[in-house]
């Protein structure tokens, strides 16, 4: 259900490092651009997008695992 998916995502967000959580906050809650995130990180824009992609992947794996555990 949508509720269990959101609960899994919320739990998975808590497993992120503080830096990763900050990147997610900047991108999705403050709607910051890749260049703004790069400035925050002190890195290149491409590095910021790579960080976002890595975080997406880890969140996707985490949510999938939690949803699978819930089905069992």
């Amino acid at each position: 259900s949508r509720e269990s998916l959101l609960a899994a995502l919320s739990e998975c967000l808590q497993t992120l490092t503080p830096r990763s959580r900050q990147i997610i906050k900047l991108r999705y809650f403050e709607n910051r651009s890749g260049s703004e995130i790069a400035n925050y990180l002190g890195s290149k824009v491409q590095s910021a997008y790579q960080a976002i992609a890595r975080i997406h992947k880890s969140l996707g794996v985490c949510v999938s695992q939690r949803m699978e555990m819930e089905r069992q």
Side-chain angles (χ1 to χ4, degrees):
S1 72
R2 180 174 166 79
E3 291 79 21
S4 56
L5 184 62
L6 289 173
L9 177 58
S10 179
E11 291 170 13
C12 290
L13 284 168
Q14 296 307 312
T15 69
L16 295 176
T17 64
R19 179 179 180 267
S20 292
R21 273 199 304 275
Q22 183 65 26
I23 292 169
I24 292 296
K25 179 182 173 208
L26 291 169
R27 184 73 181 115
Y28 298 104
F29 295 91
E30 297 180 12
N31 205 25
R32 301 295 178 100
S33 68
S35 61
E36 289 175 305
I37 294 169
N39 285 338
Y40 168 80
L41 297 174
S43 66
K44 296 178 181 174
V45 174
Q46 184 174 351
S47 299
Y49 283 118
Q50 288 171 343
I52 293 166
R54 278 194 300 274
I55 295 165
H56 275 171
K57 184 176 181 179
S58 67
L59 284 174
V61 169
C62 179
V63 168
S64 294
Q65 289 172 342
R66 288 179 191 268
M67 296 300 290
E68 186 61 35
M69 286 189 310
E70 186 176 295
R71 283 188 213 107
Q72 294 176 355

